[in-house]
Amino acid sequence: TVTEPGKFFGKLNWRIEEPDGEFFTRDALQEFYQDPHQPAHLINHDNEYLHYQDDWWIIDFEYDNNPSGTPPFAFVYYRGSNDAWDGYGGVVVYTRDAALPQ
């Protein structure tokens, strides 16, 4: 898991509430490459497991220690497909904190 310019790894964790109130929890380590023509487009294709492919677009972000004092975040729109589901997608805000600031 060595990064380099235009490449990064994301450890993704998610959980889905089941009808009985329990949670179905999963995680994955994904490798992304930056589209050289659209730097906000991150690509994860050619995967063996379920032949999945994910495309992420960074809509907005903020760095650590920015002048506005805004906590760092990444606002991501994503689309993907795999052998079981073609066309999943949504949006997510990634932060280091468990909740967004007020």
Side-chain angles (χ1 to χ4, degrees):
T1 56
V2 177
T3 61
E4 59 190 53
K7 172 184 169 184
F8 84 98
F9 292 87
K11 171 110 174 160
L12 310 178
N13 303 288
W14 67 95
R15 67 182 196 165
I16 300 167
E17 188 172 2
E18 297 176 349
D20 64 1
E22 297 290 320
F23 287 96
F24 177 77
T25 304
R26 290 288 181 261
D27 64 69
L29 182 64
Q30 292 188 345
E31 180 178 5
F32 291 89
Y33 290 91
Q34 188 174 33
D35 183 333
H37 304 291
Q38 296 179 359
H41 180 206
L42 305 174
I43 303 164
N44 176 359
H45 292 186
D46 302 322
N47 296 286
E48 284 291 320
Y49 179 70
L50 291 175
H51 304 105
Y52 77 88
Q53 58 183 32
D54 289 343
D55 291 271
W56 289 14
W57 288 267
I58 308 303
I59 305 302
D60 197 7
F61 67 95
E62 195 58 76
Y63 290 106
D64 287 323
N65 304 315
N66 59 76
S68 70
T70 303
F73 72 92
F75 176 50
V76 178
Y77 168 76
Y78 66 94
R79 297 290 295 174
S81 66
N82 61 43
D83 290 344
W85 188 359
D86 187 21
Y88 59 82
V91 297
V92 66
V93 176
Y94 287 97
T95 68
R96 290 191 182 104
D97 297 322
L100 296 174
Q102 297 294 327

